[in-house]
Structures are given as C-alpha cells and as structure tokens.
Amino acid sequence: MKFLLLYTPSPEHLAALQRTAPRANFLVAESEAAAGEAIVDADAVLGNRWFLQSLPRARKLRWMQSPSMGVDWVLEGGEALRDVIVTCARGVYDEEVAEHATSLLLALARGLHRSRDEQRRGVWNRASLGTVAGMTALVLGQGGVGRGIARRRASLGARPEGVRRLHEGPPG
C-alpha cells in the first residue's frame, strides 16, 4: 500500500508511521509537482497541502486523511472523490482551540495590548482593564470547539450565545 504524505514529517514521525505500518510504502511530496506525480499510484493521502491540485491525477486513491477539523473544502474535488473515503481530525483539537480562543478573549477584554504599551511608557491606567463577566459572547459553531468555548465563557461569567452554520441542500 502506498501512502502519500502531503507534509514534511519529522524523522521521528516518519519512523513511527513505518513501525505502525511496516509493509506500507510512504512517499513524501516536497512540492506541488511531486504531489501530482506521487498521487497517481497512491492508495492513501495524509495531509492537505496540494491535495485538490493533485487529485485529478489520482488513479488508485481510496482514502484521504486530513489533519484539519473541517473538510468542506475537500468537497470541491467533486467527482474525483466518488470512491475516496475522507476522514478528518474532528475532535482532536477541540480543547486546545477552545483554550486558545479563551486566552485571546481574556487578553482582549483585559486590554493586555494596551497595558503592554502603557507599561513601556511608564503609565499605569486601570481603566484599560476590562472583564469578561457580564458579557454576551457569540460563539460561531456548536461543534466540539464551539461547545468548549461556550463552557469556558460561562465559567468566566459571560453569557454564551451559539449560532450554527446553515447549510443549503441535503446534509452531508
């Protein structure tokens, strides 16, 4: 089985892949041209880079694993994806992204960027320090990341309001 990696793995990561699937042949694409050549005989693709550009050349492809949470963009592959199973990293980064988004919200609410600039000028202005408590926090999306963000906002005293993306046409 031939796996095409559309990213440059660390030596340790590549060794781990080879230990996990010792009979597999792992090919690494270092450019769009290399991806276009290697995908011709690849059974599986791991990674996103150059995927849609090289997809029309695929002859044996049966699986595409995206490291991203969402794969809506992959659907642009259209008919070329008919026999390809597409999987993604949904759920893998939920907590990490929710924590990062919360840290950014706190930094903005507290005015850390203003405090940093004022500190450099030797000024201390408590008026620039805001709070999240009492805010209404609009959370776009109600998947794992959105739910994690909403939980964190609520624990800080904000009132989270969630909005889902609306799809036209049949789900999927």
Side-chain angles (χ1 to χ4, degrees), residues 1-144:
M1 184 167 216
K2 290 184 182 178
F3 285 85
L4 172 59
L5 306 181
L6 296 181
Y7 60 94
T8 303
S10 68
E12 298 82 15
H13 179 66
L14 185 56
L17 288 172
Q18 290 169 334
R19 278 192 310 274
T20 302
R23 292 191 307 258
N25 181 16
F26 292 95
L27 309 168
V28 177
E30 300 285 348
S31 68
E32 184 176 339
E37 289 175 26
I39 201 169
V40 171
D41 293 318
D43 298 291
V45 168
L46 307 176
N48 295 338
R49 198 169 188 194
W50 309 302
F51 179 69
L52 288 180
Q53 297 92 324
S54 57
L55 180 61
R57 299 193 64 199
R59 292 191 321 223
K60 297 173 37 185
L61 189 64
R62 294 295 171 257
W63 176 40
M64 187 277 188
Q65 167 60 45
S66 171
S68 301
M69 290 184 275
V71 290
D72 294 355
W73 63 272
V74 174
L75 300 179
E76 294 174 21
E79 185 62 22
L81 290 170
R82 184 182 67 227
D83 297 322
V84 179
I85 295 169
V86 178
T87 56
C88 67
R90 183 184 326 176
V92 173
Y93 306 113
D94 292 356
E95 297 303 312
E96 184 178 332
V97 173
E99 286 179 10
H100 189 74
T102 300
S103 69
L104 294 175
L105 172 74
L106 287 170
L108 287 171
R110 296 294 293 166
L112 293 185
H113 56 293
R114 288 188 302 273
S115 295
R116 176 204 57 219
D117 295 344
E118 290 168 354
Q119 182 184 29
R120 287 182 181 152
R121 294 191 311 269
V123 174
W124 178 247
N125 180 6
R126 290 189 59 85
S128 67
L129 299 177
T131 183
V132 173
M135 279 185 173
T136 297
L138 178 62
V139 179
L140 303 176
Q142 294 179 8

